[in-house]
Amino acid sequence: MTRPFTVPTAQVRVDHHSAVHLAAETARAVARECELPGALPDQAAVIASELATNLDKHASDGTLYVQPLPLGHGVEILAADRGPGMHDPERCLADGYTTSGTLGVGLGAVKRMATHFTMRSADGTDAGTWACARLTAPGEQRPEWRGVGAICLPAEGEEGCGDARGIVDTDAARTAVVLDGLGHGRAAEEAAQAALRTFHTDPDRPLPEVLTRMNRALRHTRGAAVGLLRLHADRADYCGIGNIRALALTPGGVEHRLTGQPGIVGWGMPTPRVHGFPLSQGATAVLHSDGIDARWALDPPPSVLRLPPSLLSAALAHGHRRVRDDATVLAARSPLRLP
């Protein structure tokens, strides 16, 4: 389960070699905040250093994203760039492979140290590569955690983040929420976190009841837009107020697009309604705030549609974020349909 309070994703832009050290220190600090035992924080630092070094040497517009796992207990380190991509990613993971005259052990070392590592690349000019390394204490990784990805970023120049996200698994379903406190800064953050605390008190309630409870909790705040998504084995339910978008993606394209009812949670909220839609085999459901440019879904490239949830969230945040707004994207598959 996620924490009742979530911190924004830490980001390190790798635009100079000095960013490699900053990436390592950021990953070590986040791992310690996650209370990973023993040498694991140092391993997180090594993973971040290797991924940042790879971005510095081979990529353009590269960024590292570091955060607690969206679901479960551990740290997640994501790398995203805009090209030129890898023709053969699996070969690049082999020890000894290099295109720059080095020892060629970086990505292979990352794969060995991480509890779970995945990487995808779209070959071509400005196509991009995405990687996700997850590190947990021994015995704490579960397969269903791989079916979730999320990124939450504050507007540039703001200390507080007015967006938040959460996800919870129960025996019957997976329930996710994306929240967007009105405006920016601390007041927006207070509204979003108040709604998130309410979500975590009883996330298994019917979705309209969850929204109604949030509406009461946010009456003395500036209010928020809220999107709730419940994933079952072969269908999903969406219930939202405000501009939180929900989509269902398959490798063939975007199958469903929904947005919340007009209104503000905490201020005269309308009676919430649930919209159900089928989930095809292998479909990924996406929730995102309006800090992600909605035009990404008009004609997404096949390379993005095929990404697993962890990499999909990084690709959308990295490629389609509006930097003047808080931005959150959450991608998930039903745990009842995961292999």
Side-chain angles (χ1 to χ4, degrees):
M1 184 179 293
T2 48
R3 302 175 180 181
F5 180 92
T6 59
V7 295
T9 305
Q11 61 174 334
V12 179
R13 290 189 176 91
V14 185
D15 51 8
H16 188 270
H17 184 67
S18 61
V20 174
H21 176 72
L22 177 59
E25 290 305 308
T26 300
R28 182 182 285 111
V30 173
R32 286 173 175 166
E33 290 170 4
C34 293
E35 300 179 347
L36 289 183
L40 290 179
D42 292 332
Q43 290 184 32
V46 173
I47 289 171
S49 176
E50 295 291 354
L51 290 175
T53 297
N54 197 62
L55 290 174
D56 178 54
K57 289 181 178 179
H58 304 294
S60 58
D61 188 30
T63 300
L64 220 66
Y65 302 97
V66 186
Q67 61 187 357
L69 281 177
L71 187 65
H73 179 63
V75 65
E76 177 178 70
I77 304 163
L78 298 132
D81 64 62
R82 296 184 194 270
M86 299 178 183
H87 179 68
D88 188 353
E90 286 302 317
R91 187 183 177 198
C92 296
L93 288 172
D95 287 340
Y97 178 79
T98 178
T99 60
S100 59
T102 65
L103 294 176
V105 298
L107 290 179
V110 169
K111 186 177 181 179
R112 287 194 306 275
M113 282 187 291
T115 308
H116 180 261
F117 180 71
T118 184
M119 183 174 69
R120 300 288 189 275
S121 188
D123 195 14
T125 304
D126 296 328
T129 299
W130 310 277
C132 174
R134 289 177 168 177
L135 191 62
T136 68
E140 291 196 11
Q141 175 76 356
R142 297 200 301 267
E144 60 267 27
W145 293 356
R146 297 201 295 267
V148 175
I151 296 282
C152 180
L153 299 168
E156 284 196 351
E158 293 287 350
E159 292 185 4
C161 183
D163 279 10
R165 77 290 193 197
I167 190 160
V168 173
D169 280 354
T170 62
D171 292 338
R174 168 171 282 169
T175 304
V177 63
V178 166
L179 307 127
D180 182 357
L182 265 63
H184 309 294
R186 296 300 184 189
E189 181 181 63
E190 290 172 4
Q193 294 297 332
L196 187 63
R197 288 191 295 271
T198 302
F199 169 76
H200 278 291
T201 58
D202 201 349
D204 207 26
R205 286 178 177 266
L207 299 183
E209 289 188 23
V210 177
L211 269 174
T212 300
R213 289 161 61 90
M214 288 182 182
N215 188 54
R216 290 197 296 267
L218 268 60
R219 283 178 179 168
H220 299 292
T221 71
R222 60 171 54 181
V226 179
L228 289 162
L229 190 67
R230 181 159 288 159
L231 303 178
H232 304 276
D234 57 359
R235 64 181 178 86
D237 295 323
Y238 172 68
C239 188
I241 302 293
N243 195 18
I244 304 292
R245 295 178 181 270
L247 306 96
L249 310 183
T250 69
V254 181
E255 291 194 341
H256 303 283
R257 294 180 175 88
L258 302 97
T259 192
Q261 300 165 236
I264 301 171
V265 178
W267 294 86
M269 184 184 78
T271 301
R273 299 189 300 268
V274 175
H275 301 273
F277 55 92
L279 281 179
S280 302
Q281 181 69 37
T284 299
V286 176
L287 280 175
H288 70 78
S289 67
D290 60 359
I292 303 294
D293 192 334
R295 289 174 293 182
W296 74 266
L298 296 179
D299 188 22
S303 58
V304 170
L305 292 171
R306 292 192 294 264
L307 292 175
S310 59
L311 300 185
L312 178 61
S313 61
L316 296 182
H318 188 70
H320 303 279
R321 172 194 175 196
R322 291 174 167 146
V323 296
R324 295 185 180 181
D325 198 359
D326 305 313
T328 297
V329 56
L330 186 152
R333 292 175 181 166
S334 170
L336 306 178
R337 294 284 287 269
L338 292 174

